[in-house]
Amino acid sequence: MKSKIDYTLYLCTDRKLMTTNTIEECVELAVIGGCTVVQLREKECSSLEFYNLALRVKEITDRYKVPLIINDRIDIALAVDAAGVHVGQSDLPPAVVRKIIGEDKILGVSASSLSEAVKAQEDGADYLGVGAMYSTATKTDAEIVTMEQLKEIRRAVDIPIVVIGGINKNTVCNFKGLGIDGLAVVSAVVAQKDISAASRELIKLFKDL
Amino acid sequence: MKSKIDYTLYLCTDRKLMTTNTIEECVELAVIGGCTVVQLREKECSSLEFYNLALRVKEITDRYKVPLIINDRIDIALAVDAAGVHVGQSDLPPAVVRKIIGEDKILGVSASSLSEAVKAQEDGADYLGVGAMYSTATKTDAEIVTMEQLKEIRRAVDIPIVVIGGINKNTVCNFKGLGIDGLAVVSAVVAQKDISAASRELIKLFKDL
């Protein structure tokens, strides 16, 4: 059975933005700080390296009872029995992914427009990652979603929405009253000196919205 | 049910070695020439591009009743319902792959030593790709398997063996009497001017061994 996920603080890993910690250390510190979901994203390594890393990260997320989501690679998600997968618009189509993973695993889909969001929900997405809300160093070519578009998407779909792209302690306040379910963060957590404190602060800011 | 595969001429695609044809054209010409298995290998493109290409190639291989094997990406293989997958030593471990794909899909494993070959068979491989037999432009860093090692591997495992790495019309004769089940080729087919004729010639040479 798919359990209900708390999307409040959704951490996406990015090896390139980490300076002082390994991915495992970073994930553990973020989870200690209250991070509620972890998405592991690796684009450069071999399948075996991704698999071994995912096993090590899942050992941590399991210990803290936080769901682990694997980006793009459905096979890695199945191999480590992750809680779910997240696909972008250049990955396997959501409807195809749903057939492979079954009903019990979480399926997240990136959407940067109303039509992508509606299609993703129709195709079986459990939640949406909507963005990029702001231009970021992580994905320099990402399409920007306006606040007006975000509101339209929120009205059009009823699955949870996490916002992504330039989400940090200075931008969280802009999402007040928009009915979003969580913040997806990369550098606002992984590139910070105190990862746990950064996580705690973002959660507090979100809950105070 | 897993059907019995004819491994005689096992084509591995390689986009970089193709000059005059698309992958789809190349596969069709090779299959017309008698190629008995097609392995699709893509390392550079997005999952969506790989998926769409695999669908187009499978349409061809289905038409000619030739099994399609996907390299490394178990998720792509499941998404297009390919006949099977092939993993190298840097990909997901064979025993993990077997759990994901079930008993009905073919699992091929690359082995460049006796221990890798024995382990692969123990872990559920249906066939082995043994090589590189010669140094090649396709995989410049590949470990070379000697004829003596190939004989040892042949004695140690009872699953089919295809040899790979520098297999072409000049080297086929070296495999006489070694009990191998087929030739895995890349440039000896895909980089040839007449792909069908090159396939036919290799098959004849192998059958005459």
Side-chain angles (χ1 to χ4, degrees):
Chain A
M1 244 312 271
K2 193 150 55 185
S3 55
K4 206 169 149 50
I5 305 285
D6 174 359
Y7 289 99
T8 303
L9 190 64
Y10 183 117
L11 173 73
C12 302
T13 64
D14 190 322
R15 197 180 280 271
K16 287 186 204 121
L17 296 174
M18 294 179 186
T19 47
T20 52
N21 301 94
T22 64
I23 287 179
E24 297 91 310
E25 286 166 345
C26 176
V27 164
E28 182 150 16
L29 291 169
V31 170
I32 287 171
C35 163
T36 58
V37 188
V38 173
Q39 181 196 117
L40 192 59
R41 183 176 190 270
E42 288 289 327
K43 292 290 183 187
E44 308 292 323
C45 65
S46 73
S47 294
L48 184 59
E49 287 167 331
F50 196 169
Y51 169 71
N52 285 327
L53 173 65
L55 281 180
R56 294 194 302 270
V57 170
K58 185 158 184 287
E59 195 274 320
I60 299 164
T61 53
D62 279 356
R63 190 148 27 93
Y64 291 92
K65 300 196 181 0
V66 163
L68 174 66
I69 307 282
I70 302 290
N71 182 286
D72 181 16
R73 293 291 302 268
I74 320 304
D75 46 1
I76 304 290
L78 293 174
V80 305
D81 193 23
V85 295
H86 185 94
V87 290
Q89 299 289 324
S90 304
D91 300 333
L92 281 172
V96 174
V97 175
R98 178 57 79 200
K99 273 191 216 162
I100 299 175
I101 63 174
E103 288 302 319
D104 290 350
K105 289 206 186 290
I106 298 156
L107 171 56
V109 179
S110 300
S112 59
S113 70
L114 179 61
S115 59
E116 285 177 2
V118 171
K119 179 84 166 67
Q121 174 167 281
E122 283 170 5
D123 289 346
D126 290 307
Y127 76 90
L128 298 179
V130 174
M133 298 310 304
Y134 304 96
S135 105
T136 77
T138 315
K139 279 197 161 187
T140 45
D141 60 341
E143 216 169 310
I144 299 295
V145 174
T146 65
M147 283 292 170
E148 206 43 59
Q149 283 178 296
L150 176 61
K151 286 178 200 168
E152 278 177 13
I153 292 170
R154 179 64 295 175
R155 283 192 294 267
V157 303
D158 47 29
I159 53 180
I161 289 175
V162 296
V163 285
I164 187 165
I167 308 300
N168 59 45
K169 60 184 179 182
N170 302 314
T171 56
V172 173
C173 57
N174 300 332
F175 297 96
K176 188 175 168 66
L178 298 187
I180 62 162
D181 301 89
L183 309 171
V185 290
V186 192
S187 60
V189 167
V190 308
Q192 305 308 305
K193 205 167 172 183
D194 188 334
I195 286 172
S196 301
S199 303
R200 271 191 295 270
E201 185 178 12
L202 286 163
I203 291 167
K204 185 171 186 320
L205 288 168
F206 183 75
K207 294 204 164 160
D208 289 347
L209 276 185
Chain B
M1 242 316 268
K2 195 151 55 184
S3 54
K4 205 171 150 49
I5 305 285
D6 174 359
Y7 290 98
T8 303
L9 190 63
Y10 182 117
L11 173 73
C12 303
T13 65
D14 190 322
R15 197 180 280 271
K16 288 186 202 121
L17 296 176
M18 294 179 188
T19 46
T20 53
N21 301 95
T22 65
I23 287 179
E24 298 90 310
E25 286 166 346
C26 177
V27 165
E28 183 152 18
L29 290 168
V31 169
I32 287 170
C35 162
T36 57
V37 188
V38 173
Q39 181 196 117
L40 192 59
R41 182 175 191 271
E42 288 289 327
K43 291 290 183 187
E44 309 291 322
C45 65
S46 73
S47 294
L48 184 59
E49 287 167 330
F50 196 170
Y51 169 70
N52 285 327
L53 174 64
L55 282 180
R56 295 194 301 272
V57 170
K58 185 159 184 288
E59 195 274 319
I60 298 164
T61 53
D62 279 356
R63 191 148 27 93
Y64 291 91
K65 302 200 180 353
V66 163
L68 174 66
I69 306 282
I70 303 290
N71 182 285
D72 181 14
R73 294 290 301 268
I74 319 305
D75 46 2
I76 304 290
L78 294 174
V80 304
D81 192 23
V85 294
H86 186 93
V87 291
Q89 299 289 324
S90 303
D91 300 333
L92 281 171
V96 174
V97 175
R98 178 57 80 199
K99 273 193 215 162
I100 300 175
I101 64 174
E103 288 302 319
D104 290 351
K105 290 207 186 288
I106 297 156
L107 170 56
V109 179
S110 300
S112 59
S113 70
L114 180 62
S115 60
E116 285 177 3
V118 170
K119 178 85 166 64
Q121 174 167 281
E122 282 171 6
D123 289 348
D126 290 306
Y127 74 90
L128 299 178
V130 174
M133 298 309 305
Y134 304 96
S135 104
T136 77
T138 314
K139 279 198 161 186
T140 45
D141 59 341
E143 216 169 310
I144 299 295
V145 174
T146 64
M147 283 293 168
E148 207 42 60
Q149 284 178 297
L150 176 61
K151 287 178 199 166
E152 277 178 13
I153 292 170
R154 180 64 295 173
R155 283 193 293 268
V157 303
D158 48 27
I159 53 179
I161 290 176
V162 296
V163 285
I164 187 164
I167 308 301
N168 57 46
K169 60 184 177 182
N170 302 314
T171 56
V172 173
C173 57
N174 300 332
F175 297 96
K176 188 175 169 66
L178 298 186
I180 62 162
D181 301 88
L183 309 171
V185 290
V186 193
S187 60
V189 167
V190 309
Q192 304 309 305
K193 206 168 174 184
D194 188 335
I195 286 172
S196 301
S199 303
R200 271 190 296 271
E201 186 179 9
L202 286 162
I203 291 167
K204 185 170 185 322
L205 288 168
F206 183 75
K207 293 203 165 161
D208 289 347
L209 275 185

